[in-house]
Amino acid sequence: MTIYDIDFAELYRQHLIACNHFNLPPTKWDKKAAKMAENLVGKPSVYNERLLQAINIQANETVFDIGCGPGTLAIPLAQQCQAVYALDYSQGMLDCVARFKQELNLLNLTTFHRAWSENWDDIPQADVVLASRSTLVDDLDDMIDKLCAKAKKRVFLTSVTQRHFLDEGVFTAIEREDIGFPTYIYLLNRLYQKGLQANLNFIETQSGHFQGETFEDLLASVEFSLGALTEKEKSGLKHFYVQKQANGEPISHGQKKWALIWWELD
Ligand SMILES: C[S@@+](CC[C@H](N)C(=O)[O-])C[C@H]1O[C@@H](n2cnc3c(N)ncnc32)[C@H](O)[C@@H]1O
């Protein structure tokens, strides 16, 4: 067997099944929107800085930002370029974008309330297509086809390098075997199989620690990733939390680095 015998789109699909990836309803993201807007939009961060540097947007260019969230990148980009189309399936996120749009008078910013899996025929092509931290899709091929259909010049994607956002200790505490999310390597290989030799860089982040204040915050964050815990699992998690607090040890969370996958169109 060689690498040419592997269908990376199918392997990715199998991984999603193995990690019990459940389609998060947009309402789950709605609940996170206000906090994300507060923490991410207009706040200096190495991640935003590096990504914006890589995109190197020009004043006469247009951008299509997929899974735009509260406007982390869409807002600074709209301040620098001709037009931004910002898509998200969470109305809560788009409400945040609309608020920034109004406050900053960004008339060149248009939002689309849409999911990755829906029809995008009415969305215009853009010079730059971006999907930042929003590439955990159901179907890699559908994603790649959509990116190619919408991009005129450059495509930028960021994807996970670690299989878990949660502290590895959480899995021991709740006694769950968890394969975690498929990382960027599936996407990179599938792009190659579809004839796209993409560039790969990594963005190191400052994140790494759980930001919540209470056990309930930790539980909410774990259930966001893994779905509802059983009572036994909750009690294991509580024990883990109490011990970490008692020892003054941080709980890790997030991605220490993100894969930046990008390519230019001919
Ligand atoms: C981690 S946030 C990233 C936000 C922003 N791009 C950033 O880098 O800060 C992921 C975003 O993708 C959106 N999202 C998740 N799944 C989606 C889907 N299937 N279709 C459209 N948007 C989706 C979520 O609502 C959320 O706003």
Side-chain angles (χ1 to χ4, degrees):
M1 182 173 170
T2 72
I3 196 163
Y4 304 114
D5 300 312
I6 301 171
D7 174 344
F8 282 95
E10 180 52 29
L11 204 62
Y12 174 88
R13 237 187 314 274
Q14 293 303 325
H15 191 128
L16 286 183
I17 295 168
C19 75
N20 298 315
H21 176 68
F22 53 99
N23 276 321
L24 271 190
T27 44
K28 286 241 181 186
W29 285 104
D30 291 346
K31 292 195 187 111
K32 282 183 162 245
K35 197 90 201 142
M36 281 176 60
E38 195 183 313
N39 292 337
L40 298 177
V41 185
K43 299 284 151 60
S45 92
V46 173
Y47 178 87
N48 292 358
E49 215 175 276
R50 295 280 149 75
L51 186 49
L52 289 169
Q53 218 170 44
I55 295 170
N56 188 25
I57 199 69
Q58 303 299 306
N60 62 352
E61 289 184 320
T62 54
V63 178
F64 176 30
D65 181 4
I66 306 159
C68 61
T72 319
L73 286 315
I75 299 297
L77 285 166
Q79 290 172 310
Q80 295 172 51
C81 75
Q82 194 189 317
V84 172
Y85 314 116
L87 174 150
D88 208 289
Y89 77 160
S90 154
Q91 187 57 52
M93 295 289 179
L94 294 181
D95 290 346
C96 295
V97 176
R99 185 165 51 80
F100 289 115
K101 171 180 170 163
Q102 197 184 14
E103 280 171 16
L104 300 165
N105 198 27
L106 295 171
L107 302 176
N108 59 347
L109 175 54
T110 311
T111 55
F112 291 89
H113 187 207
R114 211 67 63 80
W116 264 112
S117 56
E118 287 179 282
N119 185 298
W120 293 0
D121 284 353
D122 58 322
I123 301 175
Q125 275 195 314
D127 295 312
V128 171
V129 170
L130 165 69
S132 159
R133 301 185 280 208
S134 56
T135 50
L136 187 66
V137 294
D138 292 337
D139 182 338
L140 281 187
D141 283 354
D142 179 57
M143 170 186 176
I144 295 168
D145 292 346
K146 281 189 159 112
L147 294 169
C148 292
K150 293 298 166 193
K152 287 198 256 184
K153 294 187 189 167
R154 312 189 288 289
V155 178
F156 295 88
L157 311 172
T158 63
S159 174
V160 295
T161 60
Q162 292 165 233
R163 60 198 190 124
H164 291 134
F165 282 79
L166 302 169
D167 191 302
E168 292 294 333
V170 164
F171 297 94
T172 316
I174 67 174
E175 296 177 29
R176 265 209 212 184
E177 292 271 328
D178 189 283
I179 182 176
F181 295 129
T183 67
Y184 73 96
I185 203 67
Y186 289 93
L187 175 55
L188 192 69
N189 278 297
R190 191 57 181 169
L191 285 166
Y192 172 81
Q193 288 186 327
K194 288 180 73 94
L196 286 158
Q197 295 194 334
N199 300 284
L200 173 67
N201 303 100
F202 294 96
I203 302 179
E204 307 261 352
T205 69
Q206 302 142 309
S207 92
H209 289 158
F210 174 64
Q211 303 288 337
E213 282 153 25
T214 61
F215 169 69
E216 282 65 37
D217 291 340
L218 178 64
L219 178 61
S221 150
V222 170
E223 291 193 328
F224 183 85
S225 281
L226 303 180
L229 298 194
T230 63
E231 287 309 313
K232 183 165 176 274
E233 288 172 332
K234 280 185 198 169
S235 110
L237 185 67
K238 178 91 194 207
H239 182 69
F240 166 79
Y241 177 77
V242 169
Q243 274 208 323
K244 286 280 190 189
Q245 291 290 103
N247 298 339
E249 287 169 5
I251 297 171
S252 42
H253 189 86
Q255 298 283 316
K256 289 200 173 57
K257 57 182 180 177
W258 286 88
L260 170 62
I261 296 174
W262 61 278
W263 68 95
E264 289 177 5
L265 285 97
D266 301 328

